Amino acid sequence: MNAADNMSRSPRALKIFKKTSERAEAEVRKNLESLTGREDYSPDFDYFIELCRGDSSPESIEARTGRAVMRLLCIQAPIELIHAAGFHPYKIASGSQAMTNLALQGLPALMCPMLRAVLGAVMGSESGEPSGVKPWILPTTCDWVVKFPEMLASSGTDCASVHWMELPHLKDGDSCQALWLESVFGLKKFLESLGARVSRKPIEDSIRIYNNAWRALSRLAMMRQEGRMANVWFTLIAGSFFLDSPERWTAAALSINPTPAARSSPKSARVFLAGSPIFFPNFKLLHLLEDAGISVVSDDLCSGERIFPGAVTCKDTSEFGMISALAQRYHQGCLCPTFIDNDRRINNILSRREVTDFHGVVFHVLKGCHPYDLESLGLEMKLKERGLKFLRLETDYAAEDSQNLRTRIEAYHGTLKG
Amino acid sequence: MAMRIWKVRSIVQHAGFIVMMYGGRFGVHLGSALPCFACPFVPGCGGYCYLMGLQGYIGFGMGAAAASGFGIGAALGWFAVFIILVALLGKLWCGWICPFGLIQDWLSALRRKLGVRERMISYPIARCLAWVKYALLAGIVIMPPLVTVGVLHEDFYLPFCGICPGKSLLPLFIGETRYLALNYDNWVTLGFSVALLTITGVMLVGMFFKDRFFCIFCPLLALIHILKPITALRLVKSPEACVGCGNCRRACPMEIEAVYRQRKSSDVQSDECLDCASCVEACPSDFALSINFLKFRLFRSSRNYVAELRRKKDERGR
């Protein structure tokens, strides 16, 4: 599709959008059917399944949450602050192969499939009649995110308003931290320019709400670690977080009863999953690992355990104290490979090993996700030095490489058992 | 983990306050070598702060020793008791027992209740201020002998007590207000009382706007830290488990950076540390921080503990 088609909302473009949407819906339907047909399916998961099945356009999220949506692309913007301003922070992510095809043909061949799918989804959703301006909050994380509005504009889709947050890629220096704090206060100012009032009490409440959600997610992570929940369910539930109000999601997550993971056994090899995020409905890799008898017991994906930082601590509960605590938590505590001084990233894996006792690390690289790709080599050496088996898997949303991946995963499983 | 450390600490602090402030009234006196601000100027208190003993024994003890030989024995005896108490509990005295520490915590709680912003001291300035407590400790050690040998006026015999805000504030809890008055006996006493009132005022403001403001300057904390090599209780970090989230720094009443910054050594017990365990409680990385007694781990950081703490806070917040 070319830009002219999109801009004109021509009958041809609308037809393509319609077809692609149908394909995307079929993709979702097929994946959900395979999940609900599993032995470890429980009605406790229905709420999350319905969230993933339902319409994920900003308009429907607004209707569901009763709040205007503020669109995000990554986990770097403090969602507590956005929530405190009365908006619903909606991190848009997609694992839809169909949607990647909807994005412009002129885009780089080796482009992050997640952002390509998001581009497709946004172009598709805005081909109709957008119900209002939905601002984007974009911290300057990876190159794809930075260039996202430009790519969206090239495709003829108006990116509404974009608020940039300048993210220093060094974490430890005083000047970097001051700059990021300034960016976070800039976000507050932007939110207030939209008529919102961000004061102490709502910030305190939002921190409490998201800390509570983090607690619910931690409980699920513990269930997965103990083999009482399969990784596919954990990833589905974590991935549905932004699709509803955090309070409702938390209540549903806390009410889940443990269900022994269907395909794990005491003999299953236990691994830690690191690297690029994995979004529904693209659970290809998760299914392949499961099929090979490998249980993912912990992860550091920004679509999994790191979907929001949580555990924000601030003894200074003044407005300034809480905002600076949020700024620090989102900056210094972030393990995103876009940071330069990210040497503590490996510590998360090592400390999880103390409590989960896994045998190896599977590192997922989405084709085109260069920061993770670049990081994998150094990480591999450090982890191998500590006796952990490492497997780097580079893939995208297409199903064609499944057999190749399966062979490699099975061979890796053999080394874990040895 | 069912036990919540902050709650246990709060109970211990309040119990410590009652014993230290009113212990003498029900027959409890823990001696003259306590490593906390149990103020001798509070009639009926449950023990004496060792700083008073230190000044007294160094000064008059030396004089008495020259005359009778008795003072040295008592001085060494109380010093031995002080060392044993510090060796056993280390800075737990500061973070968990000191009544003046609790008063500071009350003021901080009031500030938080009012939603007033805490004033931070930048890291370089904090490092400079950290030396003040050692200077005060040096003054405590040097001045009393100068009184004994007649170089200084005799009213310099308890120099630190003369300016300690504990002397002016702690007696208020039994209704004693005399130390808030100026002492016109002579120029030295007048100077001390003016200094005491000024310092008290500055400290009250400082303690309201900054957690544990007085502890930055506390010579007792400096003295306990000097004995660090023999203390059994330590704050220990496992640098390989730290992801650098900074929760430890934000939870710390002293805003200690060393715990967050340390990437190699396990020793993170800095001179400002009060062993309050706030950092361990706030750390969501399993095994990253712990409070150890010798080689035994008493309490360690845990993601589950932090999550449980959130649940309790959430229940309270409803």
Side-chain angles (χ1 to χ4, degrees):
Chain A
M1 189 186 312
N2 59 42
D5 273 339
N6 192 39
M7 276 188 281
S8 63
R9 308 281 184 240
S10 65
R12 180 176 172 267
L14 290 172
K15 197 175 162 189
I16 294 172
F17 289 142
K18 192 164 172 258
K19 266 192 168 177
T20 311
S21 298
E22 284 168 5
R23 280 212 308 278
E25 278 167 23
E27 211 177 340
V28 168
R29 207 166 40 244
K30 186 181 157 203
N31 275 281
L32 287 180
E33 272 168 16
S34 82
L35 285 173
T36 50
R38 288 166 60 101
E39 280 172 42
D40 56 357
Y41 159 76
S42 153
D44 290 348
F45 301 141
D46 284 350
Y47 164 80
F48 307 99
I49 290 171
E50 289 314 310
L51 284 181
C52 294
R53 193 197 307 276
D55 183 3
S56 59
S57 67
E59 291 77 17
S60 67
I61 303 289
E62 280 183 350
R64 198 176 293 147
T65 59
R67 285 168 175 249
V69 155
M70 199 63 74
R71 293 185 284 190
L72 315 169
L73 276 183
C74 70
I75 58 166
Q76 206 67 52
I79 50 178
E80 289 88 344
L81 203 56
I82 297 167
H83 186 268
F87 295 96
H88 176 70
Y90 177 29
K91 182 193 165 200
I92 299 189
S94 175
S96 169
Q97 164 69 3
M99 285 301 174
T100 59
N101 297 331
L102 196 57
L104 270 180
Q105 293 306 313
L107 290 171
L110 203 60
M111 177 184 170
C112 168
M114 197 279 279
L115 277 189
R116 200 180 185 104
V118 169
L119 264 175
V122 173
M123 286 164 59
S125 69
E126 296 192 354
S127 62
E129 289 178 19
S131 60
V133 175
K134 311 277 184 297
W136 291 85
I137 309 287
L138 299 181
T140 54
T141 47
C142 69
D143 290 351
W144 295 119
V145 169
V146 170
K147 287 289 172 189
F148 180 81
E150 214 173 289
M151 289 188 279
L152 207 55
S154 311
S155 70
T157 305
D158 182 17
C159 205
S161 64
V162 174
H163 175 75
W164 289 106
M165 294 181 75
E166 191 175 348
L167 178 73
H169 289 274
L170 278 167
K171 292 194 275 190
D172 261 359
D174 288 341
S175 58
C176 319
Q177 289 169 19
L179 177 61
W180 176 241
L181 185 61
E182 204 178 301
S183 288
V184 174
F185 272 101
L187 171 64
K188 178 178 178 274
K189 208 171 167 186
F190 171 71
L191 295 168
E192 287 177 335
S193 74
L194 301 173
R197 185 171 141 60
V198 188
S199 59
R200 179 184 163 231
K201 188 75 178 75
I203 299 174
E204 195 174 10
D205 287 344
S206 292
I207 289 179
R208 186 176 56 77
I209 287 167
Y210 283 96
N211 273 343
N212 214 18
W214 175 80
R215 177 171 69 84
L217 191 72
S218 296
R219 177 176 172 267
L220 299 180
M222 177 60 77
M223 282 160 60
R224 174 177 65 169
Q225 178 188 311
E226 291 167 353
R228 294 182 293 147
M229 173 180 275
N231 181 49
V232 282
W233 290 117
F234 178 85
T235 312
L236 180 91
I237 294 167
S240 67
F241 179 69
F242 290 98
L243 300 174
D244 197 0
S245 74
E247 294 98 326
R248 261 201 299 275
W249 183 92
T250 303
L254 286 172
S255 66
I256 292 176
N257 293 307
T259 314
R263 296 178 202 176
S264 83
S265 69
K267 287 183 181 173
S268 291
R270 295 157 64 85
V271 298
F272 184 96
L273 184 59
S276 307
I278 292 176
F279 296 104
F280 183 78
N282 176 43
F283 281 1
K284 174 179 71 177
L285 191 67
L286 306 185
H287 289 305
L288 288 172
L289 288 169
E290 223 178 35
D291 291 346
I294 292 176
S295 295
V296 174
V297 291
S298 188
D299 73 67
D300 66 6
L301 309 184
C302 60
S303 58
E305 286 191 38
R306 281 204 303 119
I307 193 146
F308 49 90
V312 176
T313 294
C314 47
K315 66 184 170 76
D316 180 9
T317 49
S318 67
E319 187 184 309
F320 178 87
M322 287 188 289
I323 292 178
S324 55
L326 283 172
Q328 287 175 17
R329 184 72 183 91
Y330 275 76
H331 190 221
Q332 289 158 25
C334 187
L335 303 174
C336 180
T338 53
F339 287 107
I340 299 159
D341 46 353
N342 208 27
D343 52 325
R344 277 170 164 163
R345 185 216 191 297
I346 191 175
N347 293 358
N348 187 46
I349 300 176
L350 297 175
S351 71
R352 298 305 296 156
R353 189 191 188 188
E354 292 271 344
V355 281
T356 54
D357 188 30
F358 46 81
H359 309 113
V361 175
V362 173
F363 196 91
H364 169 234
V365 179
L366 272 178
K367 277 179 188 165
C369 182
H370 305 311
Y372 277 109
D373 201 355
L374 289 164
E375 186 193 52
S376 67
L377 184 64
L379 204 60
E380 179 175 2
M381 288 194 295
K382 287 178 188 168
L383 290 172
K384 279 183 173 171
E385 275 171 19
R386 288 165 173 84
L388 281 164
K389 309 275 187 195
F390 188 90
L391 176 68
R392 177 182 173 281
L393 294 171
E394 187 171 0
T395 181
D396 56 16
Y397 289 178
E400 282 76 15
D401 60 352
S402 295
Q403 195 50 46
N404 178 24
L405 290 173
R406 188 186 300 277
T407 309
R408 291 189 60 206
I409 290 169
E410 281 170 358
Y412 176 65
H413 185 227
T415 67
L416 292 175
K417 281 195 285 191
Chain B
M1 204 179 300
M3 186 173 63
R4 280 160 286 152
I5 298 299
W6 68 268
K7 199 162 193 174
V8 177
R9 179 172 161 246
S10 177
I11 292 167
V12 172
Q13 275 186 301
H14 285 84
F17 185 84
I18 291 167
V19 171
M20 298 300 168
M21 296 294 291
Y22 309 107
R25 290 162 191 257
F26 43 90
V28 176
H29 197 278
L30 302 173
S32 305
L34 293 177
C36 67
F37 275 47
C39 185
F41 294 93
V42 177
C45 65
Y48 295 159
C49 161
Y50 182 64
L51 286 184
M52 176 156 179
L54 182 67
Q55 295 166 89
Y57 284 120
I58 287 177
F60 286 107
M62 282 173 68
S68 66
F70 174 75
I72 285 285
L76 291 177
W78 284 120
F79 185 58
V81 172
F82 175 77
I83 285 185
I84 291 166
L85 292 175
V86 171
L88 280 175
L89 297 180
K91 288 178 178 174
L92 224 61
W93 288 101
C94 308
W96 290 61
I97 300 169
C98 179
F100 200 64
L102 181 63
I103 292 174
Q104 295 182 73
D105 291 349
W106 284 338
L107 286 170
S108 300
L110 175 67
R111 185 197 67 236
R112 280 195 283 274
K113 193 87 182 160
L114 297 173
V116 176
R117 175 184 159 185
E118 184 183 3
R119 301 292 144 173
M120 299 294 177
I121 297 175
S122 73
Y123 186 61
I125 293 175
R127 289 313 307 156
C128 293
L129 290 178
W131 289 102
V132 174
K133 58 180 174 287
Y134 292 103
L136 287 170
L137 183 61
I140 285 170
V141 174
I142 293 165
M143 288 170 80
L146 296 179
V147 175
T148 308
V149 297
V151 174
L152 285 176
H153 187 275
E154 63 181 21
D155 282 321
F156 279 96
Y157 76 108
L158 291 175
F160 182 70
C161 291
I163 58 166
C164 174
K167 180 185 172 184
S168 54
L169 294 175
L170 290 172
L172 296 178
F173 288 86
I174 56 150
E176 177 65 81
T177 57
R178 85 168 87 158
Y179 301 109
L180 292 176
L182 294 177
N183 185 339
Y184 291 98
D185 285 354
N186 56 51
W187 284 108
V188 177
T189 57
L190 181 62
F192 267 118
S193 57
V194 168
L196 177 62
L197 287 180
T198 309
I199 290 170
T200 301
V202 170
M203 285 297 155
L204 273 175
V205 174
M207 291 184 313
F208 177 76
F209 284 106
K210 162 89 187 73
D211 288 355
R212 293 286 184 137
F213 181 67
F214 175 75
C215 298
I216 298 171
F217 311 102
C218 178
L220 196 50
L221 183 63
L223 185 57
I224 297 173
H225 188 72
I226 289 170
L227 298 173
K228 178 181 159 183
I230 60 157
T231 54
L233 205 82
R234 294 283 179 88
L235 173 66
V236 175
K237 178 174 178 176
S238 168
E240 282 214 331
C242 171
V243 295
C245 71
N247 270 5
C248 52
R249 185 172 51 179
R250 286 191 294 281
C252 177
M254 304 293 283
E255 278 105 44
I256 294 171
E257 292 259 345
V259 181
Y260 164 74
R261 286 181 190 266
Q262 185 55 259
R263 285 165 188 255
K264 287 177 184 163
S265 168
S266 62
D267 179 12
V268 284
Q269 186 92 47
S270 64
D271 53 356
E272 298 104 327
C273 180
L274 307 174
D275 272 348
C276 66
S278 301
C279 54
V280 188
E281 273 198 297
C283 176
S285 297
D286 291 301
F287 297 97
L289 290 173
S290 60
I291 297 279
N292 290 6
F293 186 83
L294 298 173
K295 288 189 175 176
F296 302 101
R297 189 182 277 154
L298 298 181
F299 173 53
R300 70 162 173 90
S301 60
S302 149
R303 179 179 171 143
N304 290 343
Y305 179 87
V306 176
E308 182 62 14
L309 217 56
R310 298 288 172 247
R311 187 179 69 78
K312 301 276 183 190
K313 278 193 177 172
D314 187 53
E315 281 170 3
R316 283 204 313 278
R318 281 178 201 280

